[in-house]
Amino acid sequence: MAIQALPESAIRSLGSGQALTDPVSLIKELIENSLDAQATKISIDVSQNIIDSVQVSDNGYGISPEDRESACVRHCTSKIRCYEDIDNCGTLGFRGEALASAAALSEKLVFITKVEGEQVATECEVGHDGRVKSTKSTRAPVGTTIKVTGFLKTLPVRKQSAIKYASTNLKKIKKLIATYYLSRPQCRFSLKVLNPKGRAPKNKEQDIVYAPSKSVQAAVGVLVGIKTSSTFQWVSTVNEASKIHIEAFLPTPNSDIAQISTNPTCTQYIYVDSRPVSCTRGTLKTVLSLYRSYLKSSFCTTTLSDPFIYLNIICPPNTYDPNVEPAKDDVLFQDTDAVQAAAEDTFIKVYGKLPVDAGSGGTGQKEKPGGNPSSGFKVLLARREEPREKLDKSPETIPAPDDKSNSSVENAIDPAQINSRSLEVLENEPPKELLGPGTVLQGDGDSDIAVLDTPPVDVESPILDRSAVCEINEDNLPSPPPLPLPEEEFELIDEGKFLSNIGISMLMKTYRDRA
């Protein structure tokens, strides 16, 4: 096949499908447009499947008459004038792709807008190319309303997927609105799910309203409840070296551990200059992992898998690139170490320094004297809090690492059960007999881990004491032989979700070779 230029329609579909991947991304972009227009009231109305109809209305400054013809044309924007302007861009959007992509992927796009001083509003219908097809006068307050009908009509596979996962997408939209509410607490947000006829349903349990708040702390109280948020601590720190300013609202040891880790609204809210960002990758994932280490140390627990955090990283100009992902939910920092150090300063102010044996990350991490980084290993100690029923197999005798005598212990781990599908097994079908008393997960270096069994140790704590395994090293690991597991499986187990569900307590320890 010869090389040829693609038609404009194909180019629009390819680019639009990357800019807007699902209904959640559409609503995200429309909310950001409203916030960039200085709106203090944003209303979102969606159909039950979230693709038949999506409407976002705001009371921002509206679209001026001279800008209406190009408002939905690709790469037309009022927010930057050249690429270099991104470094000092104070708006959430800057590419000029969202409305153009919505027009290309939908059956119909209409916007109604009115600016201060106009007698009437103007309604514009937009074609798939982003150009205005028709206009008419209408009644509306100052601001802008964008209505998208038949979203994803041109992408049938994504359309069917969106319909199938409508309830999941609705949960994501609610989380999205909560995220922007904490970013702009002075703004009123509302969500209404309409019935098939476009009217408000009698059951309004799916609807939400967040009234304006005077501060982030007050907004958090609206989300998680005053009783829970009253135990949190507001912290504001500035790293003198990097000039990075951190604003945080964090749980304290007085907080209810169950509430901050299981309440659906008690989750991660992380921002860079008030821009919501993902914490699933890169520097911010490391910051979140660091936060978990401090929180677990403070609460003396290992089961905080999804704890609440509000963290706004305010950076000096020209210190990060926001143009990394199509969704604009990630940034590339110029100095990642400085960001981590600034965040850690905040965590130390609330929780104190980590103990020297608290595991990886943070100033409390035990430093290796020198040599090859892979010459040490980590041990994850786990012990069932309540006795489990005996397995239908005879016990084996395994020598204890800290005792020369033999002890009777069940061989609770069957290596045949841990294979390439073990991640799926642990996550979806956790066999209760998989982990027995004294289970140890041993890691060689900083990534891979292995699974083996040791005898139970007579200690009062539900978690094995470090002294029980202090003599373990790479030469005298107890049998059965260690079985390597991928790093992602270790991370799943380390989250504590699986183990805590079946009554297992955990403690991570880091050991180094003796000189």
Side-chain angles (χ1 to χ4, degrees):
M1 182 181 296
I3 296 177
Q4 294 182 0
L6 290 172
E8 286 296 324
S9 58
I11 294 173
R12 284 198 302 268
S13 296
L14 289 171
S16 301
Q18 286 185 319
L20 301 178
T21 57
D22 57 19
V24 182
S25 61
L26 170 63
I27 293 174
K28 173 184 181 294
E29 295 292 342
L30 296 181
I31 289 176
E32 289 186 351
N33 280 348
S34 296
L35 291 175
D36 287 342
Q38 305 301 313
T40 58
K41 180 181 178 181
I42 300 175
S43 303
I44 303 142
D45 297 346
V46 298
S47 59
Q48 291 185 337
N49 62 9
I50 323 180
I51 61 171
D52 286 348
S53 176
V54 174
Q55 178 175 296
V56 176
S57 302
D58 66 58
N59 65 344
Y61 48 65
I63 304 173
S64 61
E66 60 269 21
D67 290 337
R68 291 166 189 170
E69 288 291 332
S70 56
C72 297
V73 177
R74 192 173 302 277
H75 301 148
C76 290
T77 179
S78 61
K79 299 167 183 177
I80 61 173
R81 287 292 176 261
C82 62
Y83 181 80
E84 288 71 23
D85 288 349
I86 292 178
D87 292 336
N88 296 301
C89 183
T91 57
L92 297 171
F94 48 79
R95 296 195 188 113
E97 291 183 334
L99 292 181
S101 299
L105 298 178
S106 61
E107 181 178 346
K108 183 179 179 181
L109 186 149
V110 172
F111 69 85
I112 301 171
T113 188
K114 180 182 177 182
V115 299
E116 195 71 40
E118 285 189 305
Q119 297 299 316
V120 295
T122 301
E123 178 178 324
C124 301
E125 182 177 348
V126 181
H128 294 305
D129 60 355
R131 302 290 179 180
V132 174
K133 293 168 55 178
S134 62
T135 63
K136 65 178 181 180
S137 298
T138 187
R139 296 181 62 183
V142 172
T144 302
T145 296
I146 306 288
K147 184 172 184 179
V148 177
T149 306
F151 183 58
L152 297 178
K153 179 183 179 181
T154 61
L155 300 176
V157 174
R158 291 198 195 177
K159 178 181 178 180
Q160 291 302 317
S161 177
I163 293 174
K164 181 179 179 180
Y165 296 105
S167 60
T168 300
N169 285 333
L170 183 59
K171 292 178 181 178
K172 291 180 179 180
I173 291 170
K174 290 182 177 181
K175 169 62 165 56
L176 181 75
I177 295 172
T179 300
Y180 283 104
Y181 178 51
L182 294 191
S183 173
R184 303 291 196 281
Q186 73 281 1
C187 184
R188 181 186 188 274
F189 291 86
S190 65
L191 171 68
K192 184 181 294 184
V193 181
L194 306 175
N195 66 15
K197 294 183 179 181
R199 298 177 181 176
K202 294 181 180 180
N203 184 0
K204 297 184 179 181
E205 292 182 357
Q206 294 179 317
D207 299 348
I208 58 174
V209 176
Y210 294 136
S213 296
K214 295 182 179 180
S215 64
V216 171
Q217 300 95 306
V220 170
V222 173
L223 287 182
V224 307
I226 298 297
K227 183 178 179 180
T228 299
S229 67
S230 63
T231 64
F232 295 173
Q233 180 178 345
W234 177 262
V235 187
S236 180
T237 61
V238 178
N239 186 282
E240 293 300 329
S242 63
K243 304 303 179 183
I244 294 176
H245 180 197
I246 301 289
E247 295 178 340
F249 199 36
L250 305 174
T252 66
N254 295 326
S255 301
D256 185 342
I257 188 173
Q259 280 293 320
I260 67 170
S261 59
T262 60
N263 188 329
T265 56
C266 281
T267 185
Q268 288 84 49
Y269 301 94
I270 298 183
Y271 309 83
V272 175
D273 288 336
S274 298
R275 175 192 300 277
V277 289
S278 170
C279 52
T280 61
R281 54 188 178 270
T283 303
L284 298 174
K285 180 180 179 181
T286 303
V287 169
L288 182 60
S289 177
L290 184 64
Y291 167 66
R292 286 196 182 105
S293 297
Y294 278 89
L295 201 59
K296 289 177 181 179
S297 175
S298 177
F299 278 83
C300 299
T301 184
T302 58
T303 57
L304 287 170
S305 57
D306 193 26
F308 174 88
I309 179 175
Y310 169 87
L311 188 74
N312 187 20
I313 305 172
I314 304 171
C315 300
N318 305 318
T319 56
Y320 67 89
D321 182 0
N323 189 35
V324 178
E325 293 287 336
K328 303 189 297 294
D329 63 349
D330 193 13
V331 299
L332 183 63
F333 292 102
Q334 187 179 65
D335 189 345
T336 58
D337 291 339
V339 175
Q340 294 177 33
E344 188 163 19
D345 288 345
T346 303
F347 302 149
I348 291 175
K349 189 171 183 179
V350 178
Y351 306 114
K353 292 186 177 181
L354 287 176
V356 293
D357 62 344
S360 61
T363 56
Q365 181 179 359
K366 180 180 282 187
E367 297 295 335
K368 184 179 171 162
N372 193 324
S374 64
S375 60
F377 59 90
K378 297 177 182 178
V379 176
L380 178 64
L381 305 175
R383 184 181 182 187
R384 179 174 292 280
E385 297 180 357
E386 297 179 0
R388 63 183 178 85
E389 297 180 358
K390 298 288 184 179
L391 296 177
D392 295 332
K393 57 172 66 179
S394 58
E396 291 188 4
T397 299
I398 302 175
D402 63 333
D403 193 346
K404 295 182 180 179
S405 62
N406 292 339
S407 302
S408 177
V409 63
E410 295 170 322
N411 183 18
I413 294 184
D414 180 6
Q417 297 185 52
I418 306 289
N419 50 39
S420 60
R421 293 184 64 252
S422 60
L423 178 61
E424 180 180 349
V425 171
L426 288 174
E427 189 173 16
N428 299 323
E429 301 174 359
K432 292 187 177 182
E433 67 275 7
L434 188 62
L435 295 170
T439 300
V440 175
L441 305 179
Q442 178 268 334
D444 181 10
D446 294 328
S447 58
D448 293 340
I449 67 167
V451 180
L452 50 92
D453 239 10
T454 62
V457 179
D458 186 15
V459 293
E460 295 181 359
S461 172
I463 302 175
L464 298 183
D465 185 71
R466 173 177 177 177
S467 61
V469 292
C470 62
E471 298 301 324
I472 290 182
N473 57 52
E474 294 176 342
D475 296 325
N476 68 351
L477 289 174
S479 61
L483 181 67
L485 295 179
E487 183 177 3
E488 61 268 16
E489 298 188 18
F490 167 72
E491 291 179 353
L492 174 67
I493 296 174
D494 189 34
E495 290 289 337
K497 294 179 180 178
F498 163 67
L499 293 174
S500 61
N501 287 340
I502 62 173
I504 296 289
S505 295
M506 298 184 303
L507 181 65
M508 174 65 74
K509 298 293 184 182
T510 302
Y511 295 93
R512 302 296 181 187
D513 289 346
R514 290 179 171 81

